[in-house]
Amino acid sequence: MLKVIFDTDPGVDDALALLYLHKHPQIDLIGVTTTFGNASVESTTHNALYLKQAWGLSAPVARGAGGPLQPEATPEAWPVHIHGHNGLGNHPVPEALDATADSRPAHQLIIDLVRAHPGEVTLVAVGRMTNLALALQQAPDIAGLVRGVVLMGGAFHVNGNITPAAEANIWGDAEAADIVFTAHWPVTAIGLDVTTRVEMNRDGLDKLAAIGGADAELVRALSQEYVDFYLQAGHKGMVVHDCCACIALTRPELFQFERASVRVATDGVARGMTIPKPEGMGFGPSVWDGHVLQSIAIGVDAAAVLAD
Ligand code: BDR
Ligand code: CA
């Protein structure tokens, strides 16, 4: 069994990814940590607790960062309501829930769980990377204790989705993302290069609901406005970004990767841009030198990912 901590900002595609991790027979979901992004951290935490309660998750949910490491350096996003005003596609989420958050902040839960299971835990991060960066800053030893990090973020050889240069999860805390990419732990990055090719249409959601019962029916219901957004943007269905990261963990053979050290631009018009320096590429001395080669997805068997 693969022990997973899911760091997330639910988020419509986050909800589908959480359901995937919850149902997968090879995954032992040991923690869910929340971050700001698709909505405020108050909303994303409430949404995660709602899903925990609806699906009977045993994993603790811990609330994480409410903003980036360096707020003064992070420009305001233009209004982005792809995930609805409440983060779950405007699906009615009850205000009162029985499920409660863990007393620890997200980064502390990450540190505690990684130390409790040395070499076993994969961090699957599909929101801003702030919680992971805070965990690394407070407990650098966790870099050598995790099994790996799989993240949804970046636009390596394609345009971004929030600026021409930047993908939203990286743009929202570029400093944190640079810390995560340059830490001495193995990162697998699933960015827009591949996720935008994995589109689930309404037929796909109907099939999911038919085989997944009430749990999947909930995902189908909260995905409707998100599907509309992507259809209007010219896609064949909703782009299931965060699920791609989960499937890259369970079925890495469905992706092609390049090895590169990655730096994130933290200033100017390129802020949030993920810039890879591929293995063996010769340049003079640079800020890429001395950093771990990470795995960056550059190809995907989209049909097989959708079928998984
Ligand atoms: C990422 O941003 C969010 O909208 C999605 O949940 C995904 O994690 C894609 O850029
Ligand atoms: Ca997300």
Side-chain angles (χ1 to χ4, degrees), residues 7-15 37-38 80 82-83 125-129 152-154 160-162 166-170 190-192 195-196 226 230 239-243:
D7 190 69
T8 178
D9 58 338
V12 174
D13 59 324
D14 302 70
N38 290 327
V80 184
I82 301 167
H83 298 258
V126 298
R128 275 56 172 163
M129 303 297 147
M152 189 283 132
N161 61 357
I162 198 146
E167 181 278 328
N169 286 343
I170 304 300
I190 307 298
L192 300 179
T195 63
T196 52
Y226 190 68
Y230 277 105
V239 174
V240 290
H241 302 281
D242 295 348
C243 224

Side-chain angles (χ1 to χ4, degrees), residues 76-116:
E76 286 291 314
W78 40 277
V80 184
H81 292 301
I82 301 167
H83 298 258
H85 292 278
N86 67 353
L88 278 188
N90 293 327
H91 181 78
V93 177
E95 271 181 36
L97 297 173
D98 293 332
T100 53
D102 196 270
S103 59
R104 290 164 285 187
H107 66 273
Q108 191 61 52
L109 183 67
I110 292 171
I111 294 167
D112 290 351
L113 289 173
V114 169
R115 285 180 174 162

Side-chain angles (χ1 to χ4, degrees), residues 168-256:
N169 286 343
I170 304 300
W171 178 90
D173 195 344
E175 284 77 13
D178 195 50
I179 289 170
V180 168
F181 275 114
T182 55
H184 281 253
W185 58 9
V187 173
T188 301
I190 307 298
L192 300 179
D193 306 63
V194 295
T195 63
T196 52
R197 299 187 224 165
V198 185
E199 301 156 303
M200 182 180 272
N201 59 22
R202 286 207 159 84
D203 282 352
L205 278 168
D206 292 347
K207 278 186 202 142
L208 187 74
I211 58 171
D215 294 350
E217 177 54 41
L218 175 56
V219 169
R220 182 172 72 137
L222 60 83
S223 298
Q224 294 305 315
E225 291 190 13
Y226 190 68
V227 178
D228 285 340
F229 169 84
Y230 277 105
L231 290 175
Q232 282 159 18
H235 282 275
K236 295 183 198 133
M238 67 179 196
V239 174
V240 290
H241 302 281
D242 295 348
C243 224
C244 290
C246 301
I247 295 171
L249 174 63
T250 58
R251 303 282 311 277
E253 71 279 6
L254 301 183
F255 297 79
Q256 289 89 49

Side-chain angles (χ1 to χ4, degrees), residues 9-28:
D9 58 338
V12 174
D13 59 324
D14 302 70
L16 176 62
L18 179 59
L19 184 63
Y20 179 88
L21 293 173
H22 172 51
K23 295 283 183 188
H24 199 286
Q26 290 167 346
I27 298 288
D28 178 14

Side-chain angles (χ1 to χ4, degrees), residues 155-156 165-167 170-171 174 262-266 270-275:
F156 295 91
E167 181 278 328
I170 304 300
W171 178 90
V262 176
R263 296 304 307 266
V264 179
T266 53
R271 186 181 166 79
M273 186 174 190
T274 42
I275 309 173

